[in-house]
């Protein structure tokens, strides 16, 4: 890594001591940090816009608060690069999001400065509240707890659950609301409108603020009468402004909005309010991508831009470790639009990921039939259920790992009522650099046990289109289609679509000695492994694509159970309760007694890296599959061409 001399970001392998730097040098610290982040992310892809937007906020927080004693929880955590760089990880930062390198999100395993593990949105207030209440119960006198949450994350219901509870629990939580009017795409919903319209006048806030300090000094305001003062505040505010502030309406003191790029102003207000008792919100206004013009101009694209040229702002969208635009997503988006144009019942639902899942094609052509509901997966599912109850056909696209947030909504609001909702689980399987919080590895297991569900996984883009076409047939009930990021394999995918027979798999290759059963895109790796095995050994391998996990192709499994004594299942999902478990259960319940090996994700979390590195580590690439199988059936390397002991 070439070493530029960033005057202030030059601390080696230790946290920078910001308090040793004079306050009037903090803007220069921010300049250095901002440039360091731009330079690093230009070479090593990651999240850019959100990190540039919180540079001043990050410096001010670490200047005012005594971290790691004071706890800082970054909501989602995609904006915590500055936090990591300032807290001793400057020199490893070039490994960010890489295999065995730094995680792209705060994680306590990595540093004591990372107070809580994040990655999924809207958790910071709840977690911080828990820590603040704990601190008071443990009678820790001087521990501050701070939640930094974006306006996008605030559209998640969990954030409001935390707010609601903060207002009644004894705590001294500080919530810093980073308002940049962006999620990945523009933020949607009434709350963001509220933030825009918030009528708190600066004048009112200054008067109230100075009065509070004066009354505190005169010992008129004490902790136990603060509630009454806050209520008094609210009545004053209510008369001064034509609406009550939602936070103060819940007895959470509100400060702001303040300029989130004025580091000195941020230091001043944080220093003044940090020791105020009770929950408080500091509303800061920032610009996503601040300080780098291409990112300021196009915040969605520069949320995670891939590699780019710092001088020209030109993004490299086709270099090896920055994959070309994911093809499965293009096929989903274009097929959804095609189906919607001929079926007026089809609606598109996305919880704040229209660009990520490529619902943008339908959004542009049929804007009245696409709903970005905010970062609200549970609501997205139950909203879809309501639509389905009224005879519409929602295609609800949710990343597999984010769908975990809406599990009861699927059971209680969709499956129990057997409603026609098509769940498109994007990012299923290993996603890569986002790591453990984002891999879509649990959906086969967590969906399989729910009654009424149809669950399918396409092995390629043509299959994806046919499954989407099948799912829109009448009275299909809840239909799940799970597919990975990218994995483009078929160039001429625009074949005529056809309805597939439910619970019908496909034999891709006949064989005699061994049957390999795959689901979804694991078929590709299996096919390569079979070629390798058959070239190296005198072995005849059959390959079946099960296509439907539920209902499963029982006729096919009977045929396989009767014919084969060696069966291998392969899935890019957890082995516990997944596809292999379904086959194991079937064989046992029908008294077939094959040797059966399940290949998939073991009972542990998978960290970050490229998909190739991770599949290799897991033994799920072609070489790993071939080795696992030949070891299992007793081939030994030095006995080439030996007839297998079968
Ligand atoms: C449960 C969940 N859903 C969706 C996402 C994907 N996601 C990551 S960041 C983001 C937008 C966050 O917006 P905001 O909180 O305003 O932060 P900003 O990027 O503006 O700094 C989304 C939707 C996620 N991480 N977790
Ligand atoms: C931080 C976060 O959760 C999102 O930005 C996520 O990283 C998007 O993943 P994709 O890049 O696969 O859309
Ligand atoms: Mg935002």
């Amino acid at each position: 890594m070439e070493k530029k001399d960033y005057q202030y970001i030059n601390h080696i392998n230790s946290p920078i001591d910001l308090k040793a730097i004079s306050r009037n040098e903090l803007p220069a610290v921010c300049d250095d940090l901002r440039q360091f982040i731009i330079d690093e992310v230009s070479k090593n892809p990651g999240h850019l816009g959100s990190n540039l937007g919180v540079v001043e906020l990050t410096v001010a927080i670490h200047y005012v608060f005594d971290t790691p004693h004071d706890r800082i929880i970054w909501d989602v955590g995609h904006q915590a690069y500055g936090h990591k760089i300032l807290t001793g990880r400057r020199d490893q930062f070039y490994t960010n999001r890489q295999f065995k390198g730094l995680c792209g999100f705060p994680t306590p395993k990595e540093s004591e400065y990372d107070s809580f593990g994040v990655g999924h949105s809207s958790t910071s207030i709840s977690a911080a509240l828990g820590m603040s209440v704990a601190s008071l119960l443990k009678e820790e006198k001087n521990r501050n707890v701070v939640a930094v949450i974006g306006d996008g994350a605030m559209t998640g219901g969990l954030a409001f659950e935390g707010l609601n509870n903060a207002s009644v629990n004894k705590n001294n939580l500080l919530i810093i609301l980073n308002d940049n009017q962006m999620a990945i795409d523009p933020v949607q919903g009434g709350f963001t409108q509220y933030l825009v319209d918030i009528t708190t006048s600066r004048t009112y806030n200054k008067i109230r603020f100075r009065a509070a300090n004066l009354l505190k000094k005169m010992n008129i305001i004490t902790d136990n009468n603060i509630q009454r003062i806050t209520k008094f505040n609210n009545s004053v505010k209510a008369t001064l402004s034509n609406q009550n502030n939602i936070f103060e309406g819940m007895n959470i003191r509100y400060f702001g909005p303040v300029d989130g790029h004025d580091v000195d102003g941020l230091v001043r207000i944080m220093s003044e309010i940090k020791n105020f008792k009770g929950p408080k919100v500091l509303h800061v206004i920032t610009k996503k991508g601040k300080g780098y013009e291409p990112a300021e101009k196009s915040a969605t694209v520069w949320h995670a831009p891939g590699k780019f040229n710092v001088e020209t702002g030109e993004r490299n969208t086709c270099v090896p470790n920055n994959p070309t635009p994911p093809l499965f997503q293009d096929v989903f988006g274009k097929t959804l639009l095609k189906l919607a144009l001929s079926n007026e019942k089809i609606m598109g639902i996305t919880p704040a990921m229209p660009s990520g899942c490529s619902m943008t094609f339908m959004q542009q052509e049929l804007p009245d039939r696409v709903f970005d509901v905010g970062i609200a997966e549970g609501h997205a599912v139950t909203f879809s259920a309501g639509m389905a109850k009224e005879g519409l056909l929602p295609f609800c696209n949710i990343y597999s790992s984010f769908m975990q947030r809406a599990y009861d909504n699927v059971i209680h609001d969709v499956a129990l009522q057997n409603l026609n909702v098509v769940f498109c689980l994007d990012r299923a399987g290993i996603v890569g650099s986002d790591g453990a919080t984002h891999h879509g590895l649990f959906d086969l297991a967590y969906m399989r046990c729910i009654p009424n569900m149809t669950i399918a996984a396409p092995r390629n883009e043509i299959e994806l289109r046919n499954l989407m076409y099948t799912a829109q047939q009448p009275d299909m009930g809840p239909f799940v289609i799970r597919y990975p990021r990218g994995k483009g394999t078929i160039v001429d995918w625009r074949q005529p679509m056809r309805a597939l027979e439910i619970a019908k798999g496909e034999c891709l290759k006949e064989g005699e000695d061994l049957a390999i059963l795959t689901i979804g895109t694991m078929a590709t790796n299996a096919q390569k492994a079979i070629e390798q095995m058959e070239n190296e050994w005198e072995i005849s391998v059959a390959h079946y694509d099960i296509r439907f996990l539920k209902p499963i192709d029982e006729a096919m499994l009977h045929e396989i159970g009767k014919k084969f004594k060696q069966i291998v299942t392969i899935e890019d999902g957890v082995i516990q309760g997944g596809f292999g478990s379904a086959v194991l259960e079937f064989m046992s319940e029908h008294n077939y007694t094959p040797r059966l090996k399940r290949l998939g994700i073991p009972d542990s979390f998978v960290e970050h890296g490229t998909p190739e590195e991770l599949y290799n580590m897991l033994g799920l690439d072609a070489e790993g599959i071939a080795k696992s199988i030949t070891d299992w059936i007793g081939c030994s390397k030095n006995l080439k061409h030996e007839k297998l002991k079968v």
Side-chain angles (χ1 to χ4, degrees):
M1 179 189 76
E2 94 221 35
K3 293 245 183 212
K4 278 189 175 172
D5 58 337
Y6 306 92
Q7 185 193 346
Y8 292 95
I9 310 299
N10 56 7
H11 48 299
I12 311 297
N13 278 336
S14 64
I16 185 172
D17 180 6
L18 283 177
K19 295 179 177 63
I21 295 173
S22 69
R23 192 160 149 176
N24 60 19
E25 290 181 276
L26 292 183
V29 175
C30 294
D31 292 345
D32 264 12
L33 180 57
R34 179 170 274 113
Q35 192 57 50
F36 186 85
I37 291 170
I38 292 168
D39 292 342
E40 286 297 310
V41 178
S42 72
K43 296 170 288 192
N44 176 23
H47 292 96
L48 184 68
S50 41
N51 283 288
L52 296 182
V54 298
V55 163
E56 287 77 14
L57 196 50
T58 305
V59 170
I61 285 170
H62 282 288
Y63 184 86
V64 170
F65 291 96
D66 175 24
T67 54
H69 175 77
D70 290 340
R71 309 303 196 208
I72 314 294
I73 296 94
W74 295 90
D75 204 287
V76 180
H78 62 311
Q79 79 289 56
Y81 293 3
H83 159 82
K84 292 197 173 201
I85 292 159
L86 294 178
T87 55
R89 288 163 278 184
R90 171 211 189 285
D91 284 292
Q92 304 108 295
F93 196 72
Y94 72 98
T95 70
N96 185 42
R97 295 163 53 89
Q98 292 186 7
F99 189 55
K100 300 192 186 307
L102 292 180
C103 177
F105 305 100
T107 168
K109 283 186 291 188
E110 194 176 281
S111 165
E112 60 177 337
Y113 286 88
D114 295 2
S115 306
F116 195 73
V118 286
H120 285 190
S121 172
S122 317
T123 62
S124 62
I125 296 174
S126 299
L129 179 61
M131 291 177 177
S132 181
V133 169
S135 174
L136 292 181
L137 291 172
K138 290 158 60 184
E139 296 178 355
E140 294 170 340
K141 291 280 175 274
N142 60 349
R143 188 185 306 279
N144 289 290
V145 181
V146 181
V148 184
I149 185 166
D151 51 340
M154 271 308 299
T155 62
L158 180 57
F160 279 88
E161 293 168 30
L163 272 185
N164 181 55
N165 197 222
S167 60
V168 291
N169 263 322
K170 201 165 162 33
N171 69 82
N172 298 320
L173 178 61
L174 170 60
I175 298 163
I176 298 178
L177 172 53
N178 173 28
D179 179 4
N180 57 17
Q181 293 299 298
M182 285 299 292
I184 296 176
D185 301 83
V187 187
Q188 300 297 316
F191 183 71
T192 196
Q193 283 307 317
Y194 170 76
L195 291 180
V196 170
D197 303 343
I198 205 162
T199 57
T200 305
S201 76
R202 289 176 189 277
T203 336
Y204 163 74
N205 220 36
K206 273 197 190 119
I207 296 166
R208 192 192 63 176
F209 192 49
R210 291 200 179 116
N213 275 343
L214 182 64
L215 294 172
K216 237 172 128 66
K217 285 192 185 105
M218 295 158 66
N219 252 335
I220 295 171
I221 293 183
T222 59
D223 285 352
N224 51 34
N225 72 6
I226 192 86
Q227 298 287 353
R228 279 203 304 283
I229 297 287
T230 307
K231 284 203 171 30
F232 169 71
N233 260 346
N234 294 343
S235 51
V236 169
K237 181 191 291 289
T239 48
L240 277 185
S241 64
N242 58 9
Q243 63 180 7
N244 203 343
N245 179 301
I246 188 172
F247 302 104
E248 291 185 345
M250 292 198 278
N251 283 327
I252 298 173
R253 299 186 67 183
Y254 169 87
F255 300 93
V258 299
D259 178 357
H261 300 301
D262 169 7
V263 64
D264 191 60
L266 288 169
V267 168
R268 184 172 59 253
I269 190 158
M270 284 185 204
S271 305
E272 288 176 340
I273 68 175
K274 73 182 250 191
N275 295 321
F276 279 14
K277 297 299 175 214
K280 42 209 170 280
V281 166
L282 173 61
H283 179 192
V284 300
I285 307 292
T286 64
K287 174 92 178 150
K288 193 160 183 176
K290 178 75 176 177
Y292 188 63
E293 191 181 350
E296 290 191 16
K297 280 185 173 165
S298 176
T300 298
V301 168
W302 288 83
H303 173 83
K307 285 192 169 188
F308 61 94
N309 180 306
V310 174
E311 279 65 44
T312 65
E314 186 191 351
R315 293 172 52 237
N316 308 358
T317 54
C318 55
V319 292
N321 65 350
N322 176 27
T324 52
L327 195 56
F328 261 79
Q329 284 65 39
D330 288 359
V331 172
F332 165 78
K334 289 167 184 165
T335 303
L336 180 63
L337 173 57
K338 183 177 176 66
L339 294 175
L341 287 170
S342 53
N343 181 344
E344 62 184 17
K345 290 184 176 180
I346 290 178
M347 300 292 149
I349 318 297
T350 172
M353 302 301 285
S355 295
C357 76
S358 295
M359 198 172 274
T360 37
F361 295 106
M362 183 177 172
Q363 195 173 38
Q364 279 144 25
E365 295 293 315
L366 302 167
D368 296 341
R369 290 166 54 189
V370 171
F371 300 84
D372 174 352
V373 298
I375 310 180
E377 286 78 11
H379 166 65
V381 171
T382 305
F383 176 72
S384 300
M387 283 188 154
K389 192 71 180 64
E390 293 303 317
L392 296 180
L393 180 59
F395 274 65
C396 180
N397 189 302
I398 302 182
Y399 285 20
S400 166
S401 69
F402 301 155
M403 174 60 98
Q404 292 156 194
R405 187 56 73 76
Y407 192 50
D408 182 53
N409 306 76
V410 173
I411 295 173
H412 181 268
D413 303 325
V414 179
L416 196 55
Q417 300 178 75
N418 203 20
L419 294 172
N420 297 330
V421 177
V422 182
F423 293 112
C424 300
L425 301 191
D426 194 341
R427 284 15 178 222
I430 292 286
V431 295
S433 306
D434 273 339
T437 52
H438 284 62
H439 295 313
L441 301 175
F442 305 98
D443 57 86
L444 293 174
Y446 71 63
M447 288 291 189
R448 180 168 80 93
C449 59
I450 305 174
N452 294 338
M453 304 299 284
T454 297
I455 304 163
R459 64 174 181 275
N460 59 38
E461 298 86 333
I462 295 170
E463 288 273 303
L464 172 58
R465 278 164 61 83
N466 290 335
L467 283 168
M468 291 175 70
Y469 183 80
T470 305
Q472 63 149 357
Q473 304 305 311
D475 304 326
M476 277 288 164
F479 201 113
V480 176
I481 306 171
R482 58 103 68 172
Y483 56 90
R485 188 185 204 282
K487 286 276 195 290
T489 53
I490 306 275
V491 177
D492 57 340
W493 50 269
R494 292 179 193 271
Q495 320 253 340
M497 289 184 277
R498 63 184 178 89
L500 299 172
E501 185 183 342
I502 301 298
K504 192 88 182 102
E506 185 176 343
C507 178
L508 302 179
K509 180 179 176 298
E510 296 293 350
E512 299 307 317
D513 302 325
L514 166 77
I516 293 181
L517 282 61
T518 57
I519 187 162
T521 52
M522 273 292 124
T524 304
N525 292 1
Q527 279 156 348
K528 290 175 190 163
I530 291 167
E531 283 162 24
Q532 187 178 318
M533 287 191 288
E534 290 188 333
N535 289 340
E536 287 182 17
W537 308 95
E538 283 180 31
I539 180 174
S540 161
V541 181
H543 181 195
Y544 298 85
D545 171 10
I546 203 74
R547 188 183 282 139
F548 288 89
L549 173 62
K550 189 174 188 180
I552 206 162
D553 187 341
E554 297 204 350
M556 176 187 270
L557 292 183
H558 277 298
E559 176 198 321
I560 292 168
K562 287 174 187 141
K563 179 176 179 182
F564 293 95
K565 286 300 171 207
Q566 318 258 9
I567 298 173
V568 176
T569 61
I570 310 175
E571 60 201 296
D572 55 352
V574 292
I575 291 171
Q576 313 270 6
F579 162 54
S581 298
V583 175
L584 201 56
E585 291 159 16
F586 179 89
M587 295 299 166
S588 169
E589 285 158 11
H590 294 86
N591 301 318
Y592 298 114
T593 55
R595 293 181 69 221
L596 193 148
K597 179 142 185 85
R598 295 175 295 165
L599 298 181
I601 306 300
D603 189 21
S604 57
F605 288 103
V606 179
E607 295 302 336
H608 47 280
T610 65
E612 294 72 25
E613 287 166 330
L614 297 174
Y615 280 123
N616 177 269
M617 175 188 75
L618 293 160
L620 290 174
D621 56 6
E623 292 69 28
I625 290 169
K627 181 172 184 336
S628 296
I629 294 174
T630 48
D631 288 352
W632 176 64
I633 54 179
C635 306
S636 51
K637 264 294 174 211
N638 58 1
L639 295 177
K640 197 168 174 51
H641 297 308
E642 177 197 10
K643 183 79 179 129
L644 287 173
K645 306 179 193 67
V646 289

